[in-house]
Amino acid sequence: MSIENTRAPSVEYFTPKQPLPSGTVLGKKNDKIPPLFSELKIKGMTIPNRIGLSPMCMYSADNGFPTPFHMIHYNTYSMRGTGLIILESVAVTSNGRISPNDLGIWTDEQAYKLKEIVDFAHSQGKKIGIQLSHSGRKASTLPLYTLKFDVSTDKNFKGDFSDDVWSSSDSFETDDKLFKNVKKLNINQVKEIILKFGEAAKRCYEICKFDFIEIHAAHGYLINQFLSQTTNKRGLGDEYSGLNFETRIKFLIDIVNTIKSNINTDEIPIFVRLSASENNDDNENAWTFNDTLKLIPILIKNGGIDVFDISSGGNSPVKSGKQLSQLEMAKQVKCLIDDLRLTSSLGDKIYVAAVGNINNAKLANDLISENNCDIVLVGREFLKSPNLVENWAHDLNTNIQMTLQYGWPL
């Protein structure tokens, strides 16, 4: 009797080749599959189910480099049923890190180290992407496990770079006392950061071999700072001026375009995470959900975005006014995109990812089955239970493929 134990591709060491990515439904062709466990094709990428690991900062990098912690953390989910994995915020410049312990991809050496994480994920048949970011005025802050709100580092904190923090403006309506050392980017510096996003995307595509790229335009970081009038105080005569909508969104559009020019967009989907609302509607200058509904058709017409990842908040410390939930905003974005499809000639399908306390199988499945979104992204629940997908499959009476090493004894 001859038994073949095939090695997985993409890695030099031995790990068995998986017959199917974990999280793939097992069953007969005509079996009824819960929508949550239906596969999804996004350009050249197919995922076995609609459950993704949401990006969550781990504050565990060493001068921008991933450590063994990151290999263990992310590939725990590669060996489980997760449909797709999004790495935490990864800075495109050294001074774009949120904290001194954040990941970076401003050098080829960092990219090659990140590739080790990607290679293992691929050995398990998993799709893995990266969230590219620049933190702007929120740079050089303390890791949130030290204090649960943004506080700038000081010279006593190892890796501090608080004297090298830049943003759309050097003054703000809201919490400038927390970010008192911020300097305004001049036009040349703005253009340089846009190029850095493109260079980072090229490393993601050519070196790391990530399956997709997410642009972090949310949570009060640099792109979000340009979008909102509460933080963009650039005046007339500036092509990125905060005084009108078209110039406030130009920074994001230019970043999308430079990323598109540095990767093969036929193969690599582009996600964008948006704070759909600043959650401060009582402030007339705050970014609102109506602004997002105005932005999305412009981004679609510009081309390149395949998934809108809908979150909220982060640019203002104040929550005021009656706010829609993140899940409700995702639903309305989904309706907007479906309406645009009916009334215009959209090419490739555009999808919506929802986040926000998605903590049980029924809720997640209902969100997909009721066409409120196409992907559910989960954070804290995955931290509590790395085998969450297997648990949700059980709750929905669905049989899924498990990683060979874990599934055979069960």
Side-chain angles (χ1 to χ4, degrees):
M1 182 178 181
S2 176
I3 297 175
E4 184 178 3
N5 190 19
T6 307
R7 300 171 68 96
S10 82
V11 290
E12 296 178 355
Y13 45 85
F14 178 81
T15 186
K17 182 178 180 180
Q18 303 298 322
L20 293 167
S22 61
T24 304
V25 171
L26 299 175
K28 296 177 182 177
K29 186 174 182 180
N30 295 325
D31 287 349
K32 187 175 181 180
I33 298 172
L36 184 64
F37 284 91
S38 60
E39 73 172 24
L40 181 66
K41 183 175 176 60
I42 310 172
K43 286 197 171 168
M45 178 179 80
T46 301
I47 57 176
N49 59 59
R50 309 300 186 91
I51 307 165
L53 178 71
S54 192
M56 295 176 283
C57 288
M58 292 290 113
Y59 307 108
S60 298
D62 186 358
N63 195 29
F65 283 83
T67 67
F69 171 88
H70 296 92
M71 175 66 90
I72 295 165
H73 170 65
Y74 287 110
N75 285 315
T76 294
Y77 304 105
S78 294
M79 294 187 293
R80 293 297 185 175
T82 319
L84 59 81
I85 296 163
I86 310 178
L87 261 65
E88 64 201 79
S89 174
V90 181
V92 300
T93 67
S94 176
N95 64 354
R97 289 171 290 167
I98 302 166
S99 84
N101 304 113
D102 278 36
L103 287 171
I105 192 169
W106 63 85
T107 71
D108 287 358
E109 291 75 17
Q110 291 164 335
Y112 280 111
K113 198 67 179 173
L114 287 166
K115 185 177 185 294
E116 295 176 15
I117 299 171
V118 177
D119 285 349
F120 185 84
H122 287 167
S123 79
Q124 305 302 299
K126 288 306 174 69
K127 303 303 182 185
I128 186 168
I130 187 171
Q131 186 184 71
L132 295 181
S133 177
H134 191 296
S135 59
R137 70 181 180 134
K138 287 189 171 185
S140 198
T141 53
L142 292 170
L144 289 183
Y145 55 69
T146 61
L147 290 168
K148 290 187 177 181
F149 52 90
D150 296 307
V151 175
S152 297
T153 56
D154 59 33
K155 299 303 178 185
N156 295 318
F157 191 87
K158 185 177 181 181
D160 167 69
F161 53 96
S162 56
D163 59 350
D164 193 24
V165 176
W166 302 80
S167 181
S168 52
S169 306
D170 55 6
S171 62
F172 312 101
E173 289 182 19
T174 55
D175 51 348
D176 53 311
K177 290 181 181 178
L178 290 178
F179 307 105
K180 56 189 175 184
N181 296 322
V182 183
K183 298 179 282 290
K184 176 184 173 181
L185 294 160
N186 63 40
I187 286 292
N188 289 337
Q189 289 172 309
V190 173
K191 300 288 189 185
E192 181 66 19
I193 290 172
I194 292 167
L195 290 175
K196 292 297 181 184
F197 271 93
E199 291 170 5
K202 188 174 183 179
R203 292 187 184 102
C204 293
Y205 176 61
E206 294 184 352
I207 297 176
C208 305
K209 309 297 183 185
F210 279 107
D211 297 294
F212 61 95
I213 290 169
E214 176 165 280
I215 301 167
H216 196 354
H219 300 167
Y221 300 120
L222 185 60
I223 298 174
N224 197 177
Q225 291 159 32
F226 272 88
L227 292 174
S228 173
Q229 284 187 295
T230 63
T231 42
N232 186 346
K233 300 299 180 183
R234 304 175 80 90
L236 289 173
D238 189 312
E239 61 186 296
Y240 300 98
S241 170
L243 294 176
N244 64 72
F245 188 83
E246 290 70 23
T247 50
R248 282 189 283 125
I249 68 173
K250 188 176 187 304
F251 184 58
L252 171 57
I253 290 173
D254 286 354
I255 286 171
V256 172
N257 289 339
T258 193
I259 287 175
K260 284 161 52 179
S261 69
N262 278 280
I263 65 173
N264 184 342
T265 55
D266 291 334
E267 296 177 1
I268 307 297
I270 299 176
F271 295 29
V272 60
R273 173 163 278 202
L274 295 171
S275 276
S277 170
E278 199 166 320
N279 294 334
N280 190 13
D281 288 359
D282 288 348
N283 185 333
E284 64 180 6
N285 290 326
W287 183 267
T288 68
F289 185 51
N290 285 335
D291 290 320
T292 293
L293 296 179
K294 184 177 177 182
L295 170 66
I296 284 174
I298 295 171
L299 287 172
I300 290 173
K301 184 177 180 181
N302 182 70
I305 303 301
D306 302 287
V307 178
F308 287 97
D309 175 359
I310 303 302
S311 187
S312 69
N315 202 46
S316 171
V318 179
K319 289 187 177 182
S320 60
K322 186 177 179 181
Q323 304 298 328
L324 293 172
S325 72
Q326 291 175 160
L327 297 182
E328 179 61 30
M329 287 190 283
K331 176 183 177 180
Q332 292 196 30
V333 169
K334 175 73 173 161
C335 288
L336 169 67
I337 292 172
D338 288 346
D339 287 346
L340 288 172
R341 177 165 294 282
L342 291 173
T343 58
S344 62
S345 56
L346 289 182
D348 292 314
K349 187 159 176 145
I350 296 167
Y351 301 97
V352 174
V355 302
N357 199 29
I358 303 171
N359 57 13
N360 64 82
K362 183 180 184 306
L363 171 60
N365 193 56
D366 287 348
L367 289 169
I368 303 297
S369 66
E370 293 170 7
N371 200 36
N372 291 350
C373 64
D374 303 288
I375 302 164
V376 295
L377 295 178
V378 181
R380 285 169 289 185
E381 292 302 312
F382 264 126
L383 297 180
K384 295 176 188 176
S385 178
N387 60 334
L388 174 140
V389 178
E390 294 149 20
N391 293 340
W392 284 5
H394 179 268
D395 293 345
L396 295 172
N397 197 29
T398 301
N399 186 26
I400 61 171
Q401 176 72 43
M402 293 181 67
T403 298
L404 281 179
Q405 299 97 310
Y406 295 166
W408 72 268
L410 303 180

